[in-house]
Amino acid sequence: MLAHAGGAESSSVASSPALEPPRDARCLVGDAVQRPGVRTARPAPTPRPSVGWRPRWRIVLACLSILLLPKAVWGGDAVPFDLAGSDWEGAAELVRLASIELGAARVVATTRVDFAELKPEDGLLLLYPERSLDVDELAKFMRAGGRVILLDDFGRGESLLVNFGMKRLPSPRHPAESLRHNPQLALAEPASAHPVVADVNRVVTNHPTGLGHPDLSPVLKIRASGGEPDVTVAVAGAVGQGRLLAVGDPSIVMNSMLRYSGNKAFARGLVRYSVDSDAWGKRGGRLYVASGSFEQKGSYGGEHNALSEWFRDVKDLLDQIRKEGLPSILAWTASIALGLALVVWVGSRAGRLHKPIVPRFVRRIPAVAQGGVAGHAAVIGAPQTTRILAILELKSALEEQLTTLLGLPKVPGQQELLSRISAAGLLDAEGLHTLRRVLLRMSNVENMVVFQRSGGTVQSVRDNEVVSIARTVKQLLDAAQAGVPHGSSVHAEGAPS
């Protein structure tokens, strides 16, 4: 937990002379180099002789040579807060100042923070991180006694701030004091007797962001005018046995800003505070300084965990995509893969011959979807329909046809039906025997249906048996029809009408 950490380390604040702009009146960032109020007249253009087509190739070569000059000539390789950069936005002066204060052996300017190498007496100064910070490892380092100083305004250090309950706030629109009346170059003053600002009178900021937390020690603040509230730009707190100091403006310690005495005194205070002794004992370790897209690896305490490092890289990539979009290499790779996939898909579809699709309203309706006798017969003869239904249909047709030939009002039982056919002489002895055998098989099939509905298993009926029974039924009906006198029917008692 991040706690108030100001009283135990506080000391008296020594005043320093008020800050004044340099005599050459050059602005810091984004301002013109020209002196204010000075306007030079543009000389009149001198007439030049017309240039023919022949010497124009020299002009083209001159333009190409200018475009192809190395980037170093134009300062294109300059990186903000570069620890080795000596340009106006570099941080080489901070590293030099730290080496003077602590000794060159105790200052490590690095592009890779290995948490396994950190010790409780060490300090870690982070300038404008461009990759997500490993909050868990930093918290373990601070709980053991280490100190972390974060200088960040719009970088990726927000994860560490949010983890300890801090939030970023906009700087005052109308600061009480500013350099050259530029509100983006507001002057910050000590907000407490914290040792970092013991020798500080004023600090020049450059587009700062405020930091809000109700329980932390304010270190620097920007006084506002016009009814606006003051904004704190630096806070400090305790994390276990260690300390965290967050500053909402990394530009305070870049090369061009350290020419101001207040900024230089503040930088010295940060360096001394990072390795200063604490209430629990003497510290005096090494100061690790990292900026920009520095790498983070290892685990504090020496416990190597490859899975945690993999999750750290994935989290950093997702956070980068969320804030800045896909990296250029991933965007190019995804675009090329998508283009190749599109070419393959179009090529596989363009040369393929597709079967013409007949409109639904002119398609032929299958027999099974029709009604009437044709539809009923198609359903019974369908391959997926059980052949038991066909046997039952043949049984019903046979009994109804024989009942019609006998002139009976309804279908009688099998024994009565056989007796009446025998009495009427519709079939001979062999025909009656065949009819009795067919009706018995049909009755067994009908009983199988009842048995199957009750949950039992029955034997399947094959197609050849259905064909055989159908042929036999047709022969029996033809023979019975031949036994009936032409134009007459048989009464129920068997006498011809």
Side-chain angles (χ1 to χ4, degrees):
M1 180 179 293
L2 191 61
H4 185 282
E9 305 167 324
S10 63
S11 62
S12 61
V13 180
S15 300
S16 61
L19 292 174
E20 293 294 339
R23 291 189 177 183
D24 61 356
R26 295 173 184 267
C27 296
L28 287 176
V29 179
D31 288 354
V33 180
Q34 182 182 349
R35 295 173 183 268
V38 179
R39 186 179 182 90
T40 58
R42 179 177 297 179
T46 303
R48 299 184 62 184
S50 59
V51 180
W53 286 101
R54 186 173 181 180
R56 287 189 179 181
W57 62 271
R58 298 180 181 178
I59 301 177
V60 175
L61 289 179
C63 294
L64 290 176
S65 62
I66 292 175
L67 293 176
L68 296 177
L69 281 175
K71 288 186 177 180
V73 176
W74 299 96
D77 291 335
V79 178
F81 309 107
D82 184 8
L83 300 181
S86 57
D87 58 314
W88 65 273
E89 59 179 352
E93 184 64 23
L94 174 65
V95 177
R96 189 187 67 84
L97 185 147
S99 300
I100 295 174
E101 289 291 323
L102 305 178
R106 296 178 60 191
V107 178
V108 181
T110 180
T111 58
R112 183 180 66 178
V113 175
D114 191 348
F115 292 103
E117 296 179 356
L118 297 179
K119 299 178 181 179
E121 60 267 23
D122 294 333
L124 188 59
L125 195 151
L126 307 177
L127 278 172
Y128 192 74
E130 297 178 1
R131 302 178 65 176
S132 296
L133 297 177
D134 194 330
V135 177
D136 296 334
E137 298 300 329
L138 290 173
K140 288 164 58 177
F141 169 63
M142 287 186 285
R143 283 194 294 266
R147 294 190 179 183
V148 175
I149 301 175
L150 173 65
L151 291 91
D152 183 32
D153 48 4
F154 304 104
R156 307 286 286 278
E158 187 176 6
S159 57
L160 184 64
L161 302 178
V162 173
N163 184 73
F164 291 107
M166 288 180 275
K167 60 181 180 180
R168 288 172 172 168
L169 302 172
S171 60
R173 298 180 58 185
H174 304 285
E177 296 180 282
S178 59
L179 188 65
R180 295 180 183 84
H181 306 289
N182 186 347
Q184 302 298 336
L185 303 177
L187 299 183
E189 61 185 36
S192 66
H194 197 276
V196 171
V197 291
D199 300 328
V200 175
N201 184 19
R202 294 288 188 275
V203 173
V204 181
T205 64
N206 181 15
H207 295 76
T209 59
L211 297 174
H213 195 291
D215 302 326
L216 298 184
S217 299
V219 179
L220 277 179
K221 70 176 180 180
I222 299 176
R223 289 188 298 107
S225 61
E228 288 185 85
D230 298 343
V231 176
T232 303
V233 294
V235 294
V239 182
Q241 293 186 348
R243 310 279 175 171
L244 172 63
L245 193 149
V247 184
D249 184 10
S251 303
I252 290 177
V253 296
M254 67 184 182
N255 293 338
S256 60
M257 302 288 278
L258 289 182
R259 57 181 171 174
Y260 298 104
S261 59
N263 292 51
K264 185 171 291 187
F266 182 72
R268 287 196 185 99
L270 291 177
V271 171
R272 291 193 296 264
Y273 176 77
S274 62
V275 293
D276 197 10
S277 298
D278 210 327
W280 52 268
K282 185 178 180 180
R283 296 180 71 248
R286 294 192 293 178
L287 172 61
Y288 292 87
V289 184
S291 70
S293 57
F294 57 89
E295 181 185 356
Q296 302 169 82
K297 63 172 296 184
S299 177
Y300 183 77
E303 298 178 359
H304 179 72
N305 191 345
L307 184 60
S308 64
E309 292 187 8
W310 183 81
F311 276 117
R312 179 191 304 158
D313 295 338
V314 172
K315 180 181 177 182
D316 180 71
L317 178 61
L318 294 178
D319 189 51
Q320 180 181 357
I321 293 174
R322 180 175 62 87
K323 290 186 175 182
E324 304 175 6
L326 280 175
S328 58
I329 183 65
L330 290 182
W332 277 103
T333 304
S335 301
I336 293 174
L338 183 60
L340 291 177
L342 184 61
V343 170
V344 172
W345 183 82
V346 172
S348 62
R349 295 297 190 275
R352 180 183 301 179
L353 298 178
H354 296 274
K355 184 179 180 180
I357 299 177
V358 180
R360 183 180 301 177
F361 60 89
V362 297
R363 295 178 189 173
R364 182 179 180 182
I365 300 176
V368 294
Q370 301 179 16
V373 177
H376 187 64
V379 171
I380 294 176
Q384 62 272 17
T385 305
T386 177
R387 297 304 176 226
I388 294 178
L389 294 180
I391 299 296
L392 296 181
E393 288 292 328
L394 290 174
K395 178 176 180 295
S396 176
L398 176 62
E399 291 176 343
E400 289 179 359
Q401 188 65 25
L402 292 176
T403 302
T404 302
L405 293 177
L406 293 173
L408 301 176
K410 63 178 181 179
V411 178
Q414 289 187 5
Q415 294 299 329
E416 183 180 357
L417 181 62
L418 291 172
S419 299
R420 288 182 177 274
I421 290 175
S422 176
L426 296 180
L427 296 174
D428 55 10
E430 184 179 357
L432 287 173
H433 177 72
T434 303
L435 178 60
R436 184 179 291 106
R437 179 174 55 82
V438 171
L439 291 176
L440 179 61
R441 174 55 180 164
M442 292 179 173
S443 299
N444 292 336
V445 172
E446 191 173 20
N447 294 332
M448 287 167 54
V449 175
V450 178
F451 183 69
Q452 185 178 16
R453 290 178 179 176
S454 62
T457 57
V458 297
Q459 295 180 352
S460 60
V461 179
R462 300 181 180 276
D463 292 344
N464 55 359
E465 183 180 4
V466 176
V467 174
S468 177
I469 293 177
R471 188 181 297 112
T472 303
V473 168
K474 186 176 185 308
Q475 293 174 355
L476 291 174
L477 291 177
D478 290 342
Q481 185 68 33
V484 178
H486 181 71
S488 62
S489 62
V490 181
H491 292 288
E493 294 79 12
S497 57

